[in-house]
Amino acid sequence: MGGADFAADSRQAVAENPQGTGTARKALRAVPLLALGAAATLALVAWLAPAGLAWAVAAVLAALLGAAAFALRAYGRGMAAVHSALRHANEGSLEPLALPPASAALLAPVADEYNVLARNLGSLFGEMEQAQLAIIAERNRHEAILQGLPGALLVVDGDFNVTLSNRQAEALFAVPAAALEGANVFDLLHPDEMGREVLREAFLYEQPLANKVLALRVGEDARQVSLNVTFFGKAPHTAQASAAIILQDITDWKRLEDRASLSEKLGAMGQLAAGVAHELNTPLGTILGYAQLLNEGRASEEKRAEYAREIHAETKRCARIVDNLLAYARRDVCGTETCEVNELVREAVEAVTNCQGRRLCVAIEADTKGELVVRGGSGQLDIVLVNLLVNAAQAATASASPRVRVSTAAEAGHAVITVEDNGPGVAPEVRPRLFEPFFTTKGESAGTGLGLPISQSIVNRVGGTIHCDPDYRGGARFVVTLPLAA
């Protein structure tokens, strides 16, 4: 490729200056003139010199002139070979120069220099061709990368005019590449006022932009795009730097995000409804039990009054559970409520004992001493305690003599509540999933899988922790830590 270009230039140079190619012809035409001059010289010598001497001198001159003629002819043939090689070089063929044997003695240095030059030029032309092929391959690779970008690419100059685009840009703006070239980027994008200001400041101060969400109008459609702008170095003859703009159409993604958010809200509503049903089950069971006792009509007046008070208390507890679950669903900021945890534990033990404990024949022991005032409202923490006690009572029924024990203690600025049972315990493979929503080991008819997740959320909101003790043997032990009130 390079050799052909050089040959073309050389042919032009030869055409413009043909004197060099005529040197060999002039040398060959000089041979007859040299012979004619030699004959004239011999005639002059024969006329002027004595007879014997004239013939001797004539013989010497004739030999000299013959040698000169031979040398001149050999020189002419050698130069013809040189110019033939030059013509081939002009045509792109850098073949080695081979001189006739008679010409080698006269033009060997010239032939050697030519052959060295031809080899060097051949090597240079080969390197140039390889470099051109490498540049073309690199250009094609870059073109493939630019065309394969997932976003629309617009390269603009200092006047905000498009100089390069890719297929995604053609698809986004629904115009061919020829229509994009030279278009003003502001006229092309039709950004809103905020987007126009963002672009104007970016180009004014040459500030790169990354993942800036803009609202654009493409034709009749309003689109949302993620905008990225990168600036190049300033070209020698331009006052402003050019830039590359990549636009990622995220309109569909935004719609999916909105739908996912709506689905999440609907899921939260379903979880809230299931949570309300789960938490109301315990007090409603207590109400049902006392109502059955009243319905039997065998209790004394004092007992009936006690049953009525319990029904009233459990009804208020139902209302409190609903209020707290609604507050939990709204993710309200945790207030400054406090409660005395030992009293709360005793009330929860009494409520569970009178319902599940009596029905399941499980003894529930409470070990509470003194007063422990913790952060958190009694209504929320009551949900946590009842959940743990009910779970423990149900698990303990698998034992021959079921037993549940709850205790409290103060440790390092926290109240520690421990709920233990002598049931089968928690399998190691199940333990990591205990606090996952809707995960349960009780079966669909016996559990909703929301008690522990809701309890964990309530405890975490007041700055506490809840976990299953992995080292406990002989059943299960759940430990709740709550920060003490200041």
Side-chain angles (χ1 to χ4, degrees), residues 1-11 84-95 114 118 121-122 125 129:
M1 188 178 296
D5 296 340
F6 173 76
D9 295 340
S10 300
R11 284 195 295 274
S84 176
L86 288 176
R87 283 195 302 273
H88 291 154
N90 288 337
E91 295 170 358
S93 176
L94 295 173
E95 297 294 333
Y114 173 84
L121 286 176
F125 294 155
E129 186 172 1

mmCIF file with all atom_site columns, all heavy atoms in Angstrom, residues 1-11 84-95 114 118 121-122 125 129:
data_model
loop_
_atom_site.group_PDB
_atom_site.id
_atom_site.type_symbol
_atom_site.label_atom_id
_atom_site.label_alt_id
_atom_site.label_comp_id
_atom_site.label_asym_id
_atom_site.label_entity_id
_atom_site.label_seq_id
_atom_site.pdbx_PDB_ins_code
_atom_site.Cartn_x
_atom_site.Cartn_y
_atom_site.Cartn_z
_atom_site.occupancy
_atom_site.B_iso_or_equiv
_atom_site.pdbx_formal_charge
_atom_site.auth_seq_id
_atom_site.auth_comp_id
_atom_site.auth_asym_id
_atom_site.auth_atom_id
_atom_site.pdbx_PDB_model_num
ATOM 1   N N   . MET A 1 1   ? 0.835  -1.199 0.000   1.00 0.00 ? 1   MET A N   1
ATOM 2   C CA  . MET A 1 1   ? 0.000  0.000  0.000   1.00 0.00 ? 1   MET A CA  1
ATOM 3   C C   . MET A 1 1   ? 0.873  1.253  0.000   1.00 0.00 ? 1   MET A C   1
ATOM 4   O O   . MET A 1 1   ? 0.751  2.147  -0.801  1.00 0.00 ? 1   MET A O   1
ATOM 5   C CB  . MET A 1 1   ? -0.925 0.011  1.205   1.00 0.00 ? 1   MET A CB  1
ATOM 6   C CG  . MET A 1 1   ? -1.950 1.117  1.195   1.00 0.00 ? 1   MET A CG  1
ATOM 7   S SD  . MET A 1 1   ? -3.018 1.003  2.628   1.00 0.00 ? 1   MET A SD  1
ATOM 8   C CE  . MET A 1 1   ? -3.775 -0.569 2.275   1.00 0.00 ? 1   MET A CE  1
ATOM 9   N N   . GLY A 1 2   ? 1.875  1.298  0.949   1.00 0.00 ? 2   GLY A N   1
ATOM 10  C CA  . GLY A 1 2   ? 2.815  2.414  1.004   1.00 0.00 ? 2   GLY A CA  1
ATOM 11  C C   . GLY A 1 2   ? 3.712  2.428  -0.199  1.00 0.00 ? 2   GLY A C   1
ATOM 12  O O   . GLY A 1 2   ? 4.059  3.477  -0.744  1.00 0.00 ? 2   GLY A O   1
ATOM 13  N N   . GLY A 1 3   ? 4.171  1.225  -0.668  1.00 0.00 ? 3   GLY A N   1
ATOM 14  C CA  . GLY A 1 3   ? 5.043  1.148  -1.828  1.00 0.00 ? 3   GLY A CA  1
ATOM 15  C C   . GLY A 1 3   ? 4.348  1.658  -3.068  1.00 0.00 ? 3   GLY A C   1
ATOM 16  O O   . GLY A 1 3   ? 4.957  2.319  -3.909  1.00 0.00 ? 3   GLY A O   1
ATOM 17  N N   . ALA A 1 4   ? 3.089  1.346  -3.229  1.00 0.00 ? 4   ALA A N   1
ATOM 18  C CA  . ALA A 1 4   ? 2.337  1.814  -4.393  1.00 0.00 ? 4   ALA A CA  1
ATOM 19  C C   . ALA A 1 4   ? 2.246  3.326  -4.408  1.00 0.00 ? 4   ALA A C   1
ATOM 20  O O   . ALA A 1 4   ? 2.371  3.968  -5.450  1.00 0.00 ? 4   ALA A O   1
ATOM 21  C CB  . ALA A 1 4   ? 0.952  1.170  -4.399  1.00 0.00 ? 4   ALA A CB  1
ATOM 22  N N   . ASP A 1 5   ? 1.995  3.935  -3.194  1.00 0.00 ? 5   ASP A N   1
ATOM 23  C CA  . ASP A 1 5   ? 1.935  5.395  -3.121  1.00 0.00 ? 5   ASP A CA  1
ATOM 24  C C   . ASP A 1 5   ? 3.270  6.003  -3.493  1.00 0.00 ? 5   ASP A C   1
ATOM 25  O O   . ASP A 1 5   ? 3.341  7.008  -4.204  1.00 0.00 ? 5   ASP A O   1
ATOM 26  C CB  . ASP A 1 5   ? 1.528  5.820  -1.708  1.00 0.00 ? 5   ASP A CB  1
ATOM 27  C CG  . ASP A 1 5   ? 0.123  5.350  -1.376  1.00 0.00 ? 5   ASP A CG  1
ATOM 28  O OD1 . ASP A 1 5   ? -0.637 5.063  -2.319  1.00 0.00 ? 5   ASP A OD1 1
ATOM 29  O OD2 . ASP A 1 5   ? -0.187 5.265  -0.174  1.00 0.00 ? 5   ASP A OD2 1
ATOM 30  N N   . PHE A 1 6   ? 4.349  5.412  -2.978  1.00 0.00 ? 6   PHE A N   1
ATOM 31  C CA  . PHE A 1 6   ? 5.682  5.928  -3.302  1.00 0.00 ? 6   PHE A CA  1
ATOM 32  C C   . PHE A 1 6   ? 5.961  5.811  -4.790  1.00 0.00 ? 6   PHE A C   1
ATOM 33  O O   . PHE A 1 6   ? 6.529  6.697  -5.422  1.00 0.00 ? 6   PHE A O   1
ATOM 34  C CB  . PHE A 1 6   ? 6.740  5.158  -2.502  1.00 0.00 ? 6   PHE A CB  1
ATOM 35  C CG  . PHE A 1 6   ? 8.160  5.502  -2.894  1.00 0.00 ? 6   PHE A CG  1
ATOM 36  C CD1 . PHE A 1 6   ? 8.727  6.690  -2.472  1.00 0.00 ? 6   PHE A CD1 1
ATOM 37  C CD2 . PHE A 1 6   ? 8.905  4.654  -3.693  1.00 0.00 ? 6   PHE A CD2 1
ATOM 38  C CE1 . PHE A 1 6   ? 10.024 6.999  -2.821  1.00 0.00 ? 6   PHE A CE1 1
ATOM 39  C CE2 . PHE A 1 6   ? 10.179 4.968  -4.048  1.00 0.00 ? 6   PHE A CE2 1
ATOM 40  C CZ  . PHE A 1 6   ? 10.767 6.136  -3.618  1.00 0.00 ? 6   PHE A CZ  1
ATOM 41  N N   . ALA A 1 7   ? 5.543  4.679  -5.395  1.00 0.00 ? 7   ALA A N   1
ATOM 42  C CA  . ALA A 1 7   ? 5.769  4.469  -6.815  1.00 0.00 ? 7   ALA A CA  1
ATOM 43  C C   . ALA A 1 7   ? 5.030  5.504  -7.634  1.00 0.00 ? 7   ALA A C   1
ATOM 44  O O   . ALA A 1 7   ? 5.558  6.027  -8.621  1.00 0.00 ? 7   ALA A O   1
ATOM 45  C CB  . ALA A 1 7   ? 5.323  3.060  -7.201  1.00 0.00 ? 7   ALA A CB  1
ATOM 46  N N   . ALA A 1 8   ? 3.806  5.813  -7.211  1.00 0.00 ? 8   ALA A N   1
ATOM 47  C CA  . ALA A 1 8   ? 3.037  6.821  -7.947  1.00 0.00 ? 8   ALA A CA  1
ATOM 48  C C   . ALA A 1 8   ? 3.729  8.167  -7.878  1.00 0.00 ? 8   ALA A C   1
ATOM 49  O O   . ALA A 1 8   ? 3.830  8.889  -8.878  1.00 0.00 ? 8   ALA A O   1
ATOM 50  C CB  . ALA A 1 8   ? 1.628  6.903  -7.379  1.00 0.00 ? 8   ALA A CB  1
ATOM 51  N N   . ASP A 1 9   ? 4.211  8.549  -6.683  1.00 0.00 ? 9   ASP A N   1
ATOM 52  C CA  . ASP A 1 9   ? 4.929  9.818  -6.542  1.00 0.00 ? 9   ASP A CA  1
ATOM 53  C C   . ASP A 1 9   ? 6.184  9.813  -7.393  1.00 0.00 ? 9   ASP A C   1
ATOM 54  O O   . ASP A 1 9   ? 6.561  10.831 -7.999  1.00 0.00 ? 9   ASP A O   1
ATOM 55  C CB  . ASP A 1 9   ? 5.271  10.058 -5.074  1.00 0.00 ? 9   ASP A CB  1
ATOM 56  C CG  . ASP A 1 9   ? 4.025  10.243 -4.229  1.00 0.00 ? 9   ASP A CG  1
ATOM 57  O OD1 . ASP A 1 9   ? 2.964  10.560 -4.812  1.00 0.00 ? 9   ASP A OD1 1
ATOM 58  O OD2 . ASP A 1 9   ? 4.114  10.048 -2.993  1.00 0.00 ? 9   ASP A OD2 1
ATOM 59  N N   . SER A 1 10  ? 6.873  8.683  -7.417  1.00 0.00 ? 10  SER A N   1
ATOM 60  C CA  . SER A 1 10  ? 8.122  8.610  -8.188  1.00 0.00 ? 10  SER A CA  1
ATOM 61  C C   . SER A 1 10  ? 7.844  8.734  -9.670  1.00 0.00 ? 10  SER A C   1
ATOM 62  O O   . SER A 1 10  ? 8.584  9.399  -10.404 1.00 0.00 ? 10  SER A O   1
ATOM 63  C CB  . SER A 1 10  ? 8.831  7.287  -7.890  1.00 0.00 ? 10  SER A CB  1
ATOM 64  O OG  . SER A 1 10  ? 9.134  7.203  -6.523  1.00 0.00 ? 10  SER A OG  1
ATOM 65  N N   . ARG A 1 11  ? 6.783  8.077  -10.163 1.00 0.00 ? 11  ARG A N   1
ATOM 66  C CA  . ARG A 1 11  ? 6.448  8.179  -11.582 1.00 0.00 ? 11  ARG A CA  1
ATOM 67  C C   . ARG A 1 11  ? 6.136  9.619  -11.955 1.00 0.00 ? 11  ARG A C   1
ATOM 68  O O   . ARG A 1 11  ? 6.507  10.090 -13.020 1.00 0.00 ? 11  ARG A O   1
ATOM 69  C CB  . ARG A 1 11  ? 5.247  7.280  -11.887 1.00 0.00 ? 11  ARG A CB  1
ATOM 70  C CG  . ARG A 1 11  ? 5.601  5.796  -11.953 1.00 0.00 ? 11  ARG A CG  1
ATOM 71  C CD  . ARG A 1 11  ? 4.480  5.001  -12.603 1.00 0.00 ? 11  ARG A CD  1
ATOM 72  N NE  . ARG A 1 11  ? 3.262  5.033  -11.810 1.00 0.00 ? 11  ARG A NE  1
ATOM 73  C CZ  . ARG A 1 11  ? 3.019  4.167  -10.814 1.00 0.00 ? 11  ARG A CZ  1
ATOM 74  N NH1 . ARG A 1 11  ? 3.893  3.242  -10.516 1.00 0.00 ? 11  ARG A NH1 1
ATOM 75  N NH2 . ARG A 1 11  ? 1.895  4.249  -10.157 1.00 0.00 ? 11  ARG A NH2 1
ATOM 76  N N   . SER A 1 84  ? 16.032 1.011  -15.485 1.00 0.00 ? 84  SER A N   1
ATOM 77  C CA  . SER A 1 84  ? 14.960 0.027  -15.553 1.00 0.00 ? 84  SER A CA  1
ATOM 78  C C   . SER A 1 84  ? 14.491 -0.361 -14.144 1.00 0.00 ? 84  SER A C   1
ATOM 79  O O   . SER A 1 84  ? 13.281 -0.488 -13.883 1.00 0.00 ? 84  SER A O   1
ATOM 80  C CB  . SER A 1 84  ? 15.448 -1.212 -16.303 1.00 0.00 ? 84  SER A CB  1
ATOM 81  O OG  . SER A 1 84  ? 14.447 -2.222 -16.300 1.00 0.00 ? 84  SER A OG  1
ATOM 82  N N   . ALA A 1 85  ? 15.450 -0.551 -13.224 1.00 0.00 ? 85  ALA A N   1
ATOM 83  C CA  . ALA A 1 85  ? 15.089 -0.848 -11.836 1.00 0.00 ? 85  ALA A CA  1
ATOM 84  C C   . ALA A 1 85  ? 14.317 0.300  -11.205 1.00 0.00 ? 85  ALA A C   1
ATOM 85  O O   . ALA A 1 85  ? 13.371 0.096  -10.434 1.00 0.00 ? 85  ALA A O   1
ATOM 86  C CB  . ALA A 1 85  ? 16.344 -1.161 -11.025 1.00 0.00 ? 85  ALA A CB  1
ATOM 87  N N   . LEU A 1 86  ? 14.716 1.560  -11.552 1.00 0.00 ? 86  LEU A N   1
ATOM 88  C CA  . LEU A 1 86  ? 13.997 2.716  -11.015 1.00 0.00 ? 86  LEU A CA  1
ATOM 89  C C   . LEU A 1 86  ? 12.560 2.772  -11.535 1.00 0.00 ? 86  LEU A C   1
ATOM 90  O O   . LEU A 1 86  ? 11.635 3.131  -10.802 1.00 0.00 ? 86  LEU A O   1
ATOM 91  C CB  . LEU A 1 86  ? 14.749 3.999  -11.367 1.00 0.00 ? 86  LEU A CB  1
ATOM 92  C CG  . LEU A 1 86  ? 16.055 4.234  -10.611 1.00 0.00 ? 86  LEU A CG  1
ATOM 93  C CD1 . LEU A 1 86  ? 16.747 5.486  -11.137 1.00 0.00 ? 86  LEU A CD1 1
ATOM 94  C CD2 . LEU A 1 86  ? 15.794 4.383  -9.118  1.00 0.00 ? 86  LEU A CD2 1
ATOM 95  N N   . ARG A 1 87  ? 12.373 2.424  -12.829 1.00 0.00 ? 87  ARG A N   1
ATOM 96  C CA  . ARG A 1 87  ? 11.018 2.412  -13.372 1.00 0.00 ? 87  ARG A CA  1
ATOM 97  C C   . ARG A 1 87  ? 10.160 1.367  -12.656 1.00 0.00 ? 87  ARG A C   1
ATOM 98  O O   . ARG A 1 87  ? 8.993  1.604  -12.333 1.00 0.00 ? 87  ARG A O   1
ATOM 99  C CB  . ARG A 1 87  ? 11.054 2.127  -14.877 1.00 0.00 ? 87  ARG A CB  1
ATOM 100 C CG  . ARG A 1 87  ? 11.474 3.325  -15.722 1.00 0.00 ? 87  ARG A CG  1
ATOM 101 C CD  . ARG A 1 87  ? 11.126 3.088  -17.189 1.00 0.00 ? 87  ARG A CD  1
ATOM 102 N NE  . ARG A 1 87  ? 11.747 1.889  -17.711 1.00 0.00 ? 87  ARG A NE  1
ATOM 103 C CZ  . ARG A 1 87  ? 12.978 1.836  -18.229 1.00 0.00 ? 87  ARG A CZ  1
ATOM 104 N NH1 . ARG A 1 87  ? 13.715 2.945  -18.273 1.00 0.00 ? 87  ARG A NH1 1
ATOM 105 N NH2 . ARG A 1 87  ? 13.458 0.699  -18.695 1.00 0.00 ? 87  ARG A NH2 1
ATOM 106 N N   . HIS A 1 88  ? 10.753 0.177  -12.394 1.00 0.00 ? 88  HIS A N   1
ATOM 107 C CA  . HIS A 1 88  ? 10.012 -0.844 -11.657 1.00 0.00 ? 88  HIS A CA  1
ATOM 108 C C   . HIS A 1 88  ? 9.682  -0.368 -10.232 1.00 0.00 ? 88  HIS A C   1
ATOM 109 O O   . HIS A 1 88  ? 8.605  -0.672 -9.703  1.00 0.00 ? 88  HIS A O   1
ATOM 110 C CB  . HIS A 1 88  ? 10.819 -2.138 -11.615 1.00 0.00 ? 88  HIS A CB  1
ATOM 111 C CG  . HIS A 1 88  ? 10.933 -2.804 -12.943 1.00 0.00 ? 88  HIS A CG  1
ATOM 112 N ND1 . HIS A 1 88  ? 11.984 -3.635 -13.273 1.00 0.00 ? 88  HIS A ND1 1
ATOM 113 C CD2 . HIS A 1 88  ? 10.139 -2.742 -14.052 1.00 0.00 ? 88  HIS A CD2 1
ATOM 114 C CE1 . HIS A 1 88  ? 11.819 -4.071 -14.505 1.00 0.00 ? 88  HIS A CE1 1
ATOM 115 N NE2 . HIS A 1 88  ? 10.699 -3.535 -15.005 1.00 0.00 ? 88  HIS A NE2 1
ATOM 116 N N   . ALA A 1 89  ? 10.642 0.337  -9.623  1.00 0.00 ? 89  ALA A N   1
ATOM 117 C CA  . ALA A 1 89  ? 10.381 0.877  -8.281  1.00 0.00 ? 89  ALA A CA  1
ATOM 118 C C   . ALA A 1 89  ? 9.247  1.887  -8.314  1.00 0.00 ? 89  ALA A C   1
ATOM 119 O O   . ALA A 1 89  ? 8.410  1.952  -7.408  1.00 0.00 ? 89  ALA A O   1
ATOM 120 C CB  . ALA A 1 89  ? 11.642 1.500  -7.705  1.00 0.00 ? 89  ALA A CB  1
ATOM 121 N N   . ASN A 1 90  ? 9.198  2.709  -9.396  1.00 0.00 ? 90  ASN A N   1
ATOM 122 C CA  . ASN A 1 90  ? 8.102  3.669  -9.537  1.00 0.00 ? 90  ASN A CA  1
ATOM 123 C C   . ASN A 1 90  ? 6.759  2.969  -9.629  1.00 0.00 ? 90  ASN A C   1
ATOM 124 O O   . ASN A 1 90  ? 5.723  3.512  -9.246  1.00 0.00 ? 90  ASN A O   1
ATOM 125 C CB  . ASN A 1 90  ? 8.322  4.541  -10.772 1.00 0.00 ? 90  ASN A CB  1
ATOM 126 C CG  . ASN A 1 90  ? 9.455  5.527  -10.577 1.00 0.00 ? 90  ASN A CG  1
ATOM 127 O OD1 . ASN A 1 90  ? 9.795  5.862  -9.448  1.00 0.00 ? 90  ASN A OD1 1
ATOM 128 N ND2 . ASN A 1 90  ? 10.056 5.975  -11.685 1.00 0.00 ? 90  ASN A ND2 1
ATOM 129 N N   . GLU A 1 91  ? 6.786  1.761  -10.189 1.00 0.00 ? 91  GLU A N   1
ATOM 130 C CA  . GLU A 1 91  ? 5.557  1.001  -10.325 1.00 0.00 ? 91  GLU A CA  1
ATOM 131 C C   . GLU A 1 91  ? 5.232  0.175  -9.087  1.00 0.00 ? 91  GLU A C   1
ATOM 132 O O   . GLU A 1 91  ? 4.240  -0.566 -9.065  1.00 0.00 ? 91  GLU A O   1
ATOM 133 C CB  . GLU A 1 91  ? 5.681  0.074  -11.547 1.00 0.00 ? 91  GLU A CB  1
ATOM 134 C CG  . GLU A 1 91  ? 5.800  0.845  -12.860 1.00 0.00 ? 91  GLU A CG  1
ATOM 135 C CD  . GLU A 1 91  ? 6.170  -0.071 -14.027 1.00 0.00 ? 91  GLU A CD  1
ATOM 136 O OE1 . GLU A 1 91  ? 6.358  -1.281 -13.760 1.00 0.00 ? 91  GLU A OE1 1
ATOM 137 O OE2 . GLU A 1 91  ? 6.259  0.418  -15.162 1.00 0.00 ? 91  GLU A OE2 1
ATOM 138 N N   . GLY A 1 92  ? 6.075  0.262  -8.043  1.00 0.00 ? 92  GLY A N   1
ATOM 139 C CA  . GLY A 1 92  ? 5.805  -0.429 -6.780  1.00 0.00 ? 92  GLY A CA  1
ATOM 140 C C   . GLY A 1 92  ? 6.550  -1.717 -6.594  1.00 0.00 ? 92  GLY A C   1
ATOM 141 O O   . GLY A 1 92  ? 6.305  -2.429 -5.619  1.00 0.00 ? 92  GLY A O   1
ATOM 142 N N   . SER A 1 93  ? 7.469  -2.069 -7.479  1.00 0.00 ? 93  SER A N   1
ATOM 143 C CA  . SER A 1 93  ? 8.232  -3.323 -7.375  1.00 0.00 ? 93  SER A CA  1
ATOM 144 C C   . SER A 1 93  ? 9.667  -2.989 -7.007  1.00 0.00 ? 93  SER A C   1
ATOM 145 O O   . SER A 1 93  ? 10.426 -2.470 -7.848  1.00 0.00 ? 93  SER A O   1
ATOM 146 C CB  . SER A 1 93  ? 8.174  -4.092 -8.702  1.00 0.00 ? 93  SER A CB  1
ATOM 147 O OG  . SER A 1 93  ? 8.973  -5.259 -8.634  1.00 0.00 ? 93  SER A OG  1
ATOM 148 N N   . LEU A 1 94  ? 10.022 -3.254 -5.764  1.00 0.00 ? 94  LEU A N   1
ATOM 149 C CA  . LEU A 1 94  ? 11.387 -2.970 -5.282  1.00 0.00 ? 94  LEU A CA  1
ATOM 150 C C   . LEU A 1 94  ? 12.231 -4.227 -5.401  1.00 0.00 ? 94  LEU A C   1
ATOM 151 O O   . LEU A 1 94  ? 12.611 -4.858 -4.415  1.00 0.00 ? 94  LEU A O   1
ATOM 152 C CB  . LEU A 1 94  ? 11.332 -2.476 -3.834  1.00 0.00 ? 94  LEU A CB  1
ATOM 153 C CG  . LEU A 1 94  ? 10.619 -1.140 -3.623  1.00 0.00 ? 94  LEU A CG  1
ATOM 154 C CD1 . LEU A 1 94  ? 10.488 -0.842 -2.130  1.00 0.00 ? 94  LEU A CD1 1
ATOM 155 C CD2 . LEU A 1 94  ? 11.369 -0.011 -4.324  1.00 0.00 ? 94  LEU A CD2 1
ATOM 156 N N   . GLU A 1 95  ? 12.554 -4.586 -6.667  1.00 0.00 ? 95  GLU A N   1
ATOM 157 C CA  . GLU A 1 95  ? 13.373 -5.763 -6.912  1.00 0.00 ? 95  GLU A CA  1
ATOM 158 C C   . GLU A 1 95  ? 14.855 -5.411 -6.826  1.00 0.00 ? 95  GLU A C   1
ATOM 159 O O   . GLU A 1 95  ? 15.258 -4.285 -7.143  1.00 0.00 ? 95  GLU A O   1
ATOM 160 C CB  . GLU A 1 95  ? 13.063 -6.341 -8.291  1.00 0.00 ? 95  GLU A CB  1
ATOM 161 C CG  . GLU A 1 95  ? 11.626 -6.827 -8.455  1.00 0.00 ? 95  GLU A CG  1
ATOM 162 C CD  . GLU A 1 95  ? 11.328 -8.006 -7.564  1.00 0.00 ? 95  GLU A CD  1
ATOM 163 O OE1 . GLU A 1 95  ? 12.280 -8.746 -7.225  1.00 0.00 ? 95  GLU A OE1 1
ATOM 164 O OE2 . GLU A 1 95  ? 10.148 -8.198 -7.195  1.00 0.00 ? 95  GLU A OE2 1
ATOM 165 N N   . TYR A 1 114 ? 21.785 1.081  -4.278  1.00 0.00 ? 114 TYR A N   1
ATOM 166 C CA  . TYR A 1 114 ? 20.381 0.942  -4.682  1.00 0.00 ? 114 TYR A CA  1
ATOM 167 C C   . TYR A 1 114 ? 19.723 -0.234 -3.978  1.00 0.00 ? 114 TYR A C   1
ATOM 168 O O   . TYR A 1 114 ? 18.586 -0.130 -3.496  1.00 0.00 ? 114 TYR A O   1
ATOM 169 C CB  . TYR A 1 114 ? 20.290 0.772  -6.200  1.00 0.00 ? 114 TYR A CB  1
ATOM 170 C CG  . TYR A 1 114 ? 18.881 0.458  -6.658  1.00 0.00 ? 114 TYR A CG  1
ATOM 171 C CD1 . TYR A 1 114 ? 17.963 1.474  -6.876  1.00 0.00 ? 114 TYR A CD1 1
ATOM 172 C CD2 . TYR A 1 114 ? 18.457 -0.858 -6.841  1.00 0.00 ? 114 TYR A CD2 1
ATOM 173 C CE1 . TYR A 1 114 ? 16.669 1.194  -7.275  1.00 0.00 ? 114 TYR A CE1 1
ATOM 174 C CE2 . TYR A 1 114 ? 17.155 -1.157 -7.234  1.00 0.00 ? 114 TYR A CE2 1
ATOM 175 C CZ  . TYR A 1 114 ? 16.264 -0.121 -7.435  1.00 0.00 ? 114 TYR A CZ  1
ATOM 176 O OH  . TYR A 1 114 ? 14.976 -0.404 -7.809  1.00 0.00 ? 114 TYR A OH  1
ATOM 177 N N   . ALA A 1 118 ? 16.592 -0.112 -1.608  1.00 0.00 ? 118 ALA A N   1
ATOM 178 C CA  . ALA A 1 118 ? 15.374 -0.856 -1.925  1.00 0.00 ? 118 ALA A CA  1
ATOM 179 C C   . ALA A 1 118 ? 14.940 -1.713 -0.739  1.00 0.00 ? 118 ALA A C   1
ATOM 180 O O   . ALA A 1 118 ? 13.741 -1.796 -0.417  1.00 0.00 ? 118 ALA A O   1
ATOM 181 C CB  . ALA A 1 118 ? 15.598 -1.723 -3.167  1.00 0.00 ? 118 ALA A CB  1
ATOM 182 N N   . LEU A 1 121 ? 13.562 0.629  1.914   1.00 0.00 ? 121 LEU A N   1
ATOM 183 C CA  . LEU A 1 121 ? 12.238 1.124  1.538   1.00 0.00 ? 121 LEU A CA  1
ATOM 184 C C   . LEU A 1 121 ? 11.189 0.027  1.638   1.00 0.00 ? 121 LEU A C   1
ATOM 185 O O   . LEU A 1 121 ? 10.049 0.260  2.064   1.00 0.00 ? 121 LEU A O   1
ATOM 186 C CB  . LEU A 1 121 ? 12.277 1.687  0.118   1.00 0.00 ? 121 LEU A CB  1
ATOM 187 C CG  . LEU A 1 121 ? 12.978 3.031  -0.051  1.00 0.00 ? 121 LEU A CG  1
ATOM 188 C CD1 . LEU A 1 121 ? 13.019 3.421  -1.520  1.00 0.00 ? 121 LEU A CD1 1
ATOM 189 C CD2 . LEU A 1 121 ? 12.286 4.119  0.758   1.00 0.00 ? 121 LEU A CD2 1
ATOM 190 N N   . GLY A 1 122 ? 11.555 -1.204 1.227   1.00 0.00 ? 122 GLY A N   1
ATOM 191 C CA  . GLY A 1 122 ? 10.612 -2.318 1.342   1.00 0.00 ? 122 GLY A CA  1
ATOM 192 C C   . GLY A 1 122 ? 10.219 -2.576 2.774   1.00 0.00 ? 122 GLY A C   1
ATOM 193 O O   . GLY A 1 122 ? 9.044  -2.803 3.089   1.00 0.00 ? 122 GLY A O   1
ATOM 194 N N   . PHE A 1 125 ? 8.007  0.365  3.874   1.00 0.00 ? 125 PHE A N   1
ATOM 195 C CA  . PHE A 1 125 ? 6.656  0.262  3.321   1.00 0.00 ? 125 PHE A CA  1
ATOM 196 C C   . PHE A 1 125 ? 5.867  -0.847 4.008   1.00 0.00 ? 125 PHE A C   1
ATOM 197 O O   . PHE A 1 125 ? 4.659  -0.718 4.231   1.00 0.00 ? 125 PHE A O   1
ATOM 198 C CB  . PHE A 1 125 ? 6.725  0.006  1.816   1.00 0.00 ? 125 PHE A CB  1
ATOM 199 C CG  . PHE A 1 125 ? 7.301  1.161  1.043   1.00 0.00 ? 125 PHE A CG  1
ATOM 200 C CD1 . PHE A 1 125 ? 7.908  0.965  -0.192  1.00 0.00 ? 125 PHE A CD1 1
ATOM 201 C CD2 . PHE A 1 125 ? 7.250  2.453  1.552   1.00 0.00 ? 125 PHE A CD2 1
ATOM 202 C CE1 . PHE A 1 125 ? 8.438  2.021  -0.892  1.00 0.00 ? 125 PHE A CE1 1
ATOM 203 C CE2 . PHE A 1 125 ? 7.787  3.522  0.854   1.00 0.00 ? 125 PHE A CE2 1
ATOM 204 C CZ  . PHE A 1 125 ? 8.385  3.309  -0.372  1.00 0.00 ? 125 PHE A CZ  1
ATOM 205 N N   . GLU A 1 129 ? 2.436  -0.278 6.011   1.00 0.00 ? 129 GLU A N   1
ATOM 206 C CA  . GLU A 1 129 ? 1.217  -1.011 5.702   1.00 0.00 ? 129 GLU A CA  1
ATOM 207 C C   . GLU A 1 129 ? 0.646  -1.687 6.938   1.00 0.00 ? 129 GLU A C   1
ATOM 208 O O   . GLU A 1 129 ? -0.566 -1.655 7.168   1.00 0.00 ? 129 GLU A O   1
ATOM 209 C CB  . GLU A 1 129 ? 1.520  -2.045 4.613   1.00 0.00 ? 129 GLU A CB  1
ATOM 210 C CG  . GLU A 1 129 ? 0.280  -2.771 4.116   1.00 0.00 ? 129 GLU A CG  1
ATOM 211 C CD  . GLU A 1 129 ? 0.565  -3.650 2.915   1.00 0.00 ? 129 GLU A CD  1
ATOM 212 O OE1 . GLU A 1 129 ? 1.732  -3.708 2.488   1.00 0.00 ? 129 GLU A OE1 1
ATOM 213 O OE2 . GLU A 1 129 ? -0.380 -4.271 2.416   1.00 0.00 ? 129 GLU A OE2 1
#
